[in-house]
Amino acid sequence: MKFNWGTGIVLAFIGFISFIMYFIITMNVNDKYDHDLVSDDYYADELQYQNDINKLENTKDLSTNISYEKTTNGLIIKFPKGLDYKNIKGKLFLYRPSNKQLDFETAISLSNLNLLIPDKRLVDGRWNIKIDWQYNGKNYLFKESINY
């Protein structure tokens, strides 16, 4: 058989199609490449977006924002000083981008201005933290990506 331009082009197409098919099959079968959407109900979340913007604007009015610190006991969330912890209500949501099963949400229950998330609930790596809280009828929001 004589190898000419037409044969080379056909072989190049076959090689390219084979590579694409291998890539598609690998991405669909291998669990390593299985990524979920950030939210299952992202249309409803989009409608809440303007409320989140307003809460972030309220947060800018605070003298200090929420801070956090990693300790041996876990992650300590520190609310701004000068606030009465009894009037702070809300919820904390920790989202793990790489594993949906590790996500969790908890209500804010304070005995002082610090909230401890136990070390056993968190694995090392990247987390997105979202604290949606109210103080004296005003809504606030804290969002940040952290590496634990």
Side-chain angles (χ1 to χ4, degrees):
M1 180 174 156
K2 188 174 178 184
F3 187 79
N4 58 26
W5 281 99
T7 307
I9 291 172
V10 169
L11 289 175
F13 276 131
I14 291 172
F16 179 71
I17 291 169
S18 298
F19 168 73
I20 295 298
M21 291 304 294
Y22 167 76
F23 183 70
I24 289 171
I25 291 169
T26 301
M27 294 298 288
N28 286 326
V29 173
N30 196 341
D31 289 336
K32 177 180 169 187
Y33 302 112
D34 188 23
H35 296 289
D36 294 324
L37 293 173
V38 173
S39 171
D40 291 331
D41 198 13
Y42 52 91
Y43 288 119
D45 291 346
E46 182 65 27
L47 297 174
Q48 278 296 114
Y49 193 65
Q50 184 59 47
N51 290 337
D52 288 351
I53 292 172
N54 295 339
K55 292 174 187 178
L56 288 169
E57 288 296 321
N58 289 342
T59 304
K60 290 180 183 177
D61 296 338
L62 294 171
S63 58
T64 59
N65 200 355
I66 291 177
S67 61
Y68 59 90
E69 178 183 352
K70 181 180 176 182
T71 64
T72 56
N73 295 332
L75 186 69
I76 297 178
I77 308 295
K78 299 177 180 180
F79 285 87
K81 293 182 180 180
L83 302 180
D84 182 13
Y85 69 88
K86 296 173 189 168
N87 295 333
I88 297 175
K89 295 177 176 55
K91 60 183 177 179
L92 169 107
F93 180 66
L94 279 158
Y95 165 72
R96 178 72 179 206
S98 62
N99 190 345
K100 182 178 176 179
Q101 282 74 31
L102 295 176
D103 296 354
F104 66 93
E105 183 174 324
T106 184
I108 296 174
S109 176
L110 300 175
S111 58
N112 57 25
L113 286 175
N114 297 333
L115 175 67
L116 175 67
I117 302 167
D119 187 55
K120 63 183 177 182
R121 301 257 347 235
L122 302 169
V123 295
D124 291 344
R126 180 173 175 231
W127 289 88
N128 292 341
I129 186 169
K130 181 178 178 182
I131 304 172
D132 189 356
W133 58 290
Q134 300 86 31
Y135 180 72
N136 290 338
K138 198 166 185 181
N139 295 321
Y140 300 96
L141 182 66
F142 175 79
K143 289 168 58 170
E144 193 163 326
S145 294
I146 61 172
N147 285 316
Y148 186 76

